[in-house]
Amino acid sequence: MSQIVKDFTITVPGWRPFVTPVDLDQATPAQLDALQVTPSNRKISDYVLVLAHDPETLKHRSPLFNAIMYNRGGLSRAEREMGAVAASVVNRCIYCAAVHAERYNQLAKDEAAMSKVFASGAKAELEPRLKAILDFAMKLSQCPPTATPDDIQALRGAGLDEEEILDLILSCSLFGWANRLMHTLGEPVAA
């Protein structure tokens, strides 16, 4: 049995589900539709196959996730990944933090920022714009009512416009949900 991964890492671990994933060969038409399975698209994670037990929810979840993390305009994709990582660090979601740290590193072509976040958390020393994003995302993830208009103003002061601020809030909020699903539906394990 693979060992549970308990420390943050930029190496993406495996994920062992607690709920049996849907067997793609036994999936219902509604599950296949929600999974968007095509003959050329059959590589689906166990996590998504677990979510396929509720195809109606999955059918809405995936487009929402893609719109928040990949739509055009607003916050850069790398900065959205920083928001996802900040939420995942606060929520101690090792798997999500690793996946989105890897994506950040690829998009930003920089591994130093994530190494600092994993080593120092909220005390990570980053360039001002990235530090403002990290600080806000962590504060929002720890206790949403503590994020105030002053925190929004700090983001503006770091150069974020209104669309970028909304994208950051959406990214952090999405991972408040995603982290809870990952924690309760399975666990990160050594790959």
Side-chain angles (χ1 to χ4, degrees):
M1 181 172 277
S2 300
Q3 185 174 6
I4 299 170
V5 178
K6 296 182 178 181
D7 296 319
F8 290 113
T9 174
I10 57 171
T11 301
V12 177
W15 185 77
R16 180 171 42 222
F18 300 143
V19 176
T20 304
V22 167
D23 180 343
L24 204 50
D25 293 329
Q26 304 294 319
T28 67
Q31 289 169 327
L32 291 174
D33 181 49
L35 290 164
Q36 300 177 347
V37 173
T38 65
S40 63
N41 178 23
R42 294 185 60 87
K43 183 169 175 35
I44 301 169
S45 72
D46 280 347
Y47 171 65
V48 173
L49 289 170
V50 168
L51 296 179
H53 284 291
D54 183 348
E56 185 64 27
T57 299
L58 179 61
K59 195 168 182 169
H60 295 285
R61 174 260 180 209
S62 297
L64 177 64
F65 181 94
N66 292 337
I68 290 172
M69 296 305 290
Y70 305 125
N71 71 2
R72 294 178 187 213
L75 201 63
S76 74
R77 287 207 40 221
E79 290 170 331
R80 292 173 204 215
E81 297 294 350
M82 177 60 81
V85 169
S88 300
V89 167
V90 168
N91 293 321
R92 296 281 314 153
C93 187
I94 303 297
Y95 185 84
C96 289
V99 167
H100 294 280
E102 180 182 69
R103 288 188 187 154
Y104 174 88
N105 290 346
Q106 291 168 347
L107 292 165
K109 301 184 182 351
D110 169 38
E111 295 184 4
M114 283 301 159
S115 294
K116 291 176 183 175
V117 170
F118 286 167
S120 303
K123 295 180 180 175
E125 293 185 16
L126 305 170
E127 59 88 9
R129 181 179 167 100
L130 207 51
K131 178 67 172 160
I133 289 170
L134 177 71
D135 289 348
F136 180 82
M138 288 190 148
K139 189 171 187 179
L140 179 62
S141 299
Q142 288 168 342
C143 184
T146 64
T148 67
D150 289 342
D151 297 306
I152 299 291
Q153 192 55 43
L155 290 172
R156 289 185 186 115
L160 279 75
D161 65 22
E162 305 307 301
E163 185 180 2
E164 291 172 323
I165 291 168
L166 181 58
D167 285 342
L168 177 59
I169 293 168
L170 288 169
S171 170
C172 297
S173 301
L174 177 67
F175 276 84
W177 177 38
N179 294 161
R180 282 153 181 80
L181 289 172
M182 292 299 291
H183 274 300
T184 55
L185 294 174
E187 60 191 353
V189 293

